[in-house]
Amino acid sequence: MTEQQLSSRVAELTRQINEYNHQYYVLDQPSVPDVEYDRLMRELIEIETNHPALKALDSPSQKVGGEALSAFTQVTHQLPMLSLDNVFSAEEWQAFVKRLHDRLGSNDTLAMCAEPKLDGLAVSLRYENGVLVQAATRGDGSTGENITENIRTIKSIPLRLSGDTYPGILEVRGEVFMPKASFDALNAQAIKKGEKTFANPRNAAAGSLRQLDSKITAKRNLAFYAYGVGFVGDSTENALGQTWLENSHYGRLEQLKTVGLPMCPEVRLLTNENECQAFYQDILDSREQLSYEIDGTVLKVDDIALQEKLGFVARAPRWATAYKFPAQEELTVLEDVEFQVGRTGAITPVARLKPVFVGGVTVSNATLHNQDEIERLEIKIADTVVIRRAGDVIPQIVSVVKDKRPENARDIEFPKACPVCGSEVEKAEGEAVLRCSGGLICGAQRKEAIKHFASRKALDVDGLGDKLVEQLVDEKLIATPADLFTLTEIQVSTLERMGQKSAAKLLKSLETAKSTTLARFIYALGIREVGETTAANLANHYLTLDAVMAADEESLLEVSDIGAVVAHNILHFFQQENNRQVLTALLDVGIHWPAIEVKAADEQPLDGQTFVLTGTLSQMGRNDAKAALQSLGAKVSGSVSAKTHYLVAGEKAGSKLTKAQDLGVDVLTEDELVALLTQHKAMP
């Protein structure tokens, strides 16, 4: 290619990549698979590497990071980057509104621009003639750090503005943050490498932006939302910058969207200040479903002329405030650690805390997960700890304040025997969890084991809810699943909220549940890591319960989808004498299932083929489709891989469809699936 042809190709690649970035990161409407995006980016980088003169300041290749800096330089903001005052209650919010009206000398309602308060790092982006030339942190409000090279790596930030209707100089104010998924992945990787984890997404975002090596920043998957406009001017000294801007805060954000800058999708224009409390509550209620962390809402007078009239105090505007949520993190003291036993025998350490108000409730307990987590935190009893509660999520200890550790702090010791039944405690190789080996005889596991046994996908005992199981166990009427089938009407009818009619209905359901399938029965036993699919594979492979119980590890490894860990769990379960006694009792009370018929090869036309279902199927349920495919011998997997033969794509198929296309997997529509099942007379 000639130099002119290369220049034209670079321009076209830049245009295409910028457009795909805008579709993916701003509009959330990707139009091409990742492999196509990657191909274009590789081509651009290759041309720029071989022809450095063609590498422009706004090249998309800048997003992979440049040479490491030795230090950050300082940037003086042309307009100060102010912070916000806070309110923490409905009363404080009303007081803020009253101050607005008093200062304006009017009781007219005020339109408000309402936004989630992103928990990230405030930055300013300076565009000159549409090109990003400088980015800086807030710093002390007057002077910040030059983080231009790191900002260039954030994929949602355009290096060149779209269109041509923007001022010659445009400073954009916004928040850099780390999405929850990126934060979780970053910490998981750190734990895997034995490195220090970040306490929260805000710290992770701040740490990522202050890397001297922008290649590290590029790997952190940061994001950006614009929340306002700073200095506006024009390099040709005309009035374009002044006429371009709307006289509405919300309108200005919409303008920024038109030139390619992302705006938080939850931002709303409210017609009056009375709607702000409802917005606050809506955002608080949906907080856990958002893809990013927030710690409140930001409420701003929308009219720019009124903003100017209201003015500023020393460090904050009078026309805006942050309406903060109850704190999600607080300090408290770890007073003790107790150990709970779950349905599968997992022994979990539970922190007993000095009660503290956090996340809107008083918290006195928190999970410590397992021994590895305790070692990672380096936590001791009597330590001062940072406790975090996010919405309905179980409170957890984030970190230890080690400089507050008292002299009487002591190590946390794990039990050598089950704290409930005294059975031996075991820790499987490669696992962090301790487990009780007591199986169905352990009182702590008993309730959950019976609930699982009676659940819909197991024996499906209609009317046997969780509370009733707990009553039956607490009243010592049952101790194992087999005891369910020896209950009498008199015993059940004497329980709270259970009359004679309800008792008779339950006994009828139990009688009906005795007729099941081998696959359901195996699943009902609650063998660790044996789900519906594995239970079905065991039943279809061995055909009888006796054969399953007699199988050795070598034989089990021949069963589809069973590896060494699951094989060990199955062997261990059936080797326990107490479990075998419960199995005998269950068969003695009359639980039975039809013999499994071995299908001929012509009845298993899809044997050896793997299907994956994705999206919404309108003509049948996903479970029905799965069962129909399995009846024809197919394996139905939950994830796409090179071993997948067919992906069935329903409506709104997502990433699985993209991956299947990338791997060259055959894709079937729902109509094609229906035709296939109809052909083999397996349509549900």
Side-chain angles (χ1 to χ4, degrees):
M1 297 176 71
T2 65
E3 196 74 16
Q4 184 176 356
Q5 288 173 323
L6 285 170
S7 179
S8 298
R9 182 55 181 161
V10 166
E12 176 58 20
L13 288 169
T14 299
R15 185 196 66 76
Q16 284 185 295
I17 294 171
N18 284 338
E19 177 62 23
Y20 294 152
N21 275 333
H22 183 68
Q23 291 170 352
Y24 190 100
Y25 294 103
V26 179
L27 304 180
D28 195 24
Q29 295 175 347
S31 61
V32 295
D34 290 348
V35 66
E36 172 63 9
Y37 178 93
D38 293 340
R39 186 186 67 78
L40 295 176
M41 182 64 84
R42 283 196 302 271
E43 183 183 351
L44 176 62
I45 291 173
E46 184 178 354
I47 294 175
E48 291 177 341
T49 300
N50 294 328
H51 304 272
L54 296 178
K55 186 173 184 177
L57 190 63
D58 61 335
S59 170
S61 65
Q62 296 289 316
K63 293 188 179 294
V64 301
E67 295 299 318
L69 304 174
S70 58
F72 292 114
T73 57
Q74 300 295 298
V75 171
T76 300
H77 301 299
Q78 283 187 261
L79 292 177
M81 287 190 72
L82 302 178
S83 55
L84 292 170
D85 285 333
N86 302 316
V87 298
F88 294 93
S89 66
E91 292 75 21
E92 290 184 9
W93 162 247
Q94 291 300 329
F96 171 79
V97 172
K98 184 177 184 304
R99 288 196 297 274
L100 292 179
H101 287 296
D102 289 348
R103 185 164 290 275
L104 291 171
S106 168
N107 287 322
D108 293 343
T109 57
L110 297 169
M112 306 293 291
C113 183
E115 312 161 20
K117 187 176 183 301
L118 299 167
D119 200 9
L121 200 70
V123 300
S124 77
L125 312 178
R126 182 181 177 92
Y127 288 87
E128 295 182 1
N129 298 318
V131 177
L132 177 66
V133 297
Q134 180 180 278
T137 61
R138 185 204 307 270
D140 63 5
S142 298
T143 305
E145 291 179 314
N146 188 332
I147 53 169
T148 308
E149 294 308 309
N150 290 341
I151 285 293
R152 289 181 187 280
T153 69
I154 299 175
K155 294 178 181 178
S156 57
I157 294 178
L159 301 182
R160 175 182 287 276
L161 299 177
S162 303
D164 53 12
T165 57
Y166 43 76
I169 300 174
L170 174 62
E171 184 198 351
V172 180
R173 304 277 173 85
E175 196 89 0
V176 170
F177 61 96
M178 181 172 286
K180 292 176 182 176
S182 301
F183 173 73
D184 292 341
L186 180 63
N187 269 355
Q189 188 179 40
I191 291 171
K192 188 175 181 180
K193 293 180 177 179
E195 298 173 350
K196 183 180 178 181
T197 58
F198 287 99
N200 53 56
R202 186 187 188 283
N203 288 350
S208 300
L209 269 188
R210 299 198 75 258
Q211 293 289 330
L212 292 173
D213 186 349
S214 59
K215 289 186 174 64
I216 296 176
T217 308
K219 296 176 182 178
R220 296 288 176 84
N221 292 319
L222 298 175
F224 170 85
Y225 284 143
Y227 61 62
V229 174
F231 178 80
V232 177
D234 192 80
S235 57
T236 58
E237 298 182 357
N238 63 32
L240 176 62
Q242 298 303 313
T243 58
W244 182 75
L245 288 175
E246 293 275 354
N247 191 41
S248 155
H249 192 92
Y250 182 83
R252 290 185 175 185
L253 295 181
E254 289 287 339
Q255 283 182 294
L256 294 179
K257 279 179 65 177
T258 66
V259 295
L261 288 151
M263 180 176 83
C264 177
E266 278 68 45
V267 174
R268 297 289 181 270
L269 176 59
L270 306 181
T271 57
N272 61 69
E273 65 272 24
N274 298 322
E275 297 176 0
C276 292
Q277 187 68 45
F279 176 82
Y280 168 90
Q281 192 60 49
D282 287 345
I283 293 295
L284 178 58
D285 292 343
S286 61
R287 181 183 196 175
E288 299 310 312
Q289 283 70 56
L290 297 176
S291 62
Y292 48 85
E293 286 283 3
I294 59 174
D295 58 359
T297 58
V298 177
L299 305 166
K300 304 172 180 175
V301 173
D302 185 62
D303 190 301
I304 301 297
L306 293 182
Q307 287 186 8
E308 293 173 352
K309 185 175 181 180
L310 287 163
F312 304 83
V313 292
R315 63 178 188 84
R318 291 193 179 98
W319 43 265
T321 193
Y323 192 163
K324 299 290 286 291
F325 294 150
Q328 287 191 297
E329 292 186 353
E330 277 291 355
L331 289 178
T332 189
V333 175
L334 175 63
E335 296 184 328
D336 202 358
V337 173
E338 297 177 3
F339 295 89
Q340 293 182 345
V341 185
R343 180 184 72 80
T344 62
I347 299 175
T348 304
V350 178
R352 303 303 184 197
L353 305 165
K354 182 178 181 180
V356 61
F357 191 76
V358 58
V361 301
T362 299
V363 170
S364 56
N365 302 318
T367 179
L368 279 167
H369 299 293
N370 53 50
Q371 195 164 6
D372 287 357
E373 176 70 359
I374 287 172
E375 291 174 359
R376 185 184 70 80
L377 289 169
E378 298 181 5
I379 189 172
K380 296 177 182 287
I381 294 171
D383 268 339
T384 295
V385 297
V386 177
I387 184 77
R388 178 177 175 81
R389 180 185 182 272
D392 294 328
V393 177
I394 297 171
Q396 60 179 332
I397 292 174
V398 176
S399 59
V400 176
V401 185
K402 292 181 181 176
D403 59 4
K404 290 181 177 286
R405 176 169 288 168
E407 292 183 3
N408 65 342
R410 64 186 193 275
D411 292 337
I412 298 169
E413 296 184 2
F414 274 69
K416 300 292 190 295
C418 173
V420 174
C421 69
S423 297
E424 181 184 348
V425 170
E426 63 174 2
K427 185 177 181 181
E429 186 177 348
E431 284 195 356
V433 180
L434 287 175
R435 296 183 186 275
C436 165
S437 62
L440 295 175
I441 69 166
C442 179
Q445 300 177 62
R446 186 175 296 147
K447 289 181 181 179
E448 295 305 315
I450 294 172
K451 290 175 187 177
H452 175 76
F453 182 85
S455 63
R456 184 175 60 84
K457 294 179 180 180
L459 259 65
D460 193 17
V461 182
D462 188 32
L464 187 60
D466 290 354
K467 290 184 178 179
L468 182 53
V469 169
E470 290 173 7
Q471 281 191 75
L472 291 167
V473 173
D474 291 341
E475 294 295 327
K476 295 183 171 53
L477 295 177
I478 60 174
T480 74
D483 295 336
L484 288 168
F485 301 95
T486 63
L487 289 168
T488 66
E489 190 174 306
I490 293 176
Q491 288 176 315
V492 178
S493 62
T494 58
L495 296 173
E496 184 181 352
R497 299 179 183 174
M498 291 294 291
Q500 187 175 357
K501 185 175 179 180
S502 297
K505 185 177 179 181
L506 175 63
L507 295 183
K508 184 178 179 181
S509 294
L510 284 164
E511 189 63 32
T512 301
K514 287 181 181 179
S515 179
T516 185
T517 65
L518 177 57
R520 278 179 171 265
F521 183 75
I522 293 172
Y523 174 69
L525 296 177
I527 304 170
R528 188 156 52 95
E529 296 187 52
V530 175
E532 294 174 86
T533 300
T534 304
N537 290 342
L538 284 167
N540 292 329
H541 185 87
Y542 290 107
L543 305 180
T544 70
L545 179 62
D546 286 342
V548 175
M549 294 174 65
D552 58 20
E553 183 173 2
E554 184 178 354
S555 172
L556 287 167
L557 290 173
E558 295 176 359
V559 180
S560 176
D561 281 343
I562 291 184
V565 173
V566 178
H568 168 79
N569 293 339
I570 295 167
L571 281 173
H572 182 74
F573 180 88
F574 288 118
Q575 286 170 354
Q576 302 302 305
E577 181 58 32
N578 56 289
N579 290 338
R580 298 179 75 92
Q581 289 175 2
V582 174
L583 285 172
T584 300
L586 286 167
L587 298 177
D588 287 347
V589 296
I591 291 182
H592 62 280
W593 49 83
I596 298 174
E597 297 180 8
V598 180
K599 292 187 177 182
D602 60 356
E603 295 180 286
Q604 298 275 283
L606 303 183
D607 183 38
Q609 298 186 32
T610 299
F611 285 70
V612 173
L613 305 172
T614 188
T616 302
L617 301 180
S618 57
Q619 302 178 53
M620 70 189 89
R622 290 260 289 269
N623 287 337
D624 290 336
K626 178 179 178 180
L629 287 166
Q630 288 174 333
S631 73
L632 297 173
K635 174 186 173 183
V636 181
S637 175
S639 58
V640 177
S641 71
K643 296 181 180 179
T644 304
H645 294 89
Y646 296 98
L647 175 89
V648 179
E651 295 178 15
K652 298 181 180 178
S655 59
K656 290 180 183 177
L657 175 58
T658 301
K659 186 172 182 180
Q661 291 169 334
D662 291 346
L663 293 173
V665 173
D666 289 336
V667 178
L668 301 180
T669 64
E670 183 178 2
D671 288 340
E672 289 171 326
L673 173 64
V674 169
L676 176 66
L677 296 178
T678 302
Q679 175 190 344
H680 295 295
K681 300 179 181 179
M683 185 65 189

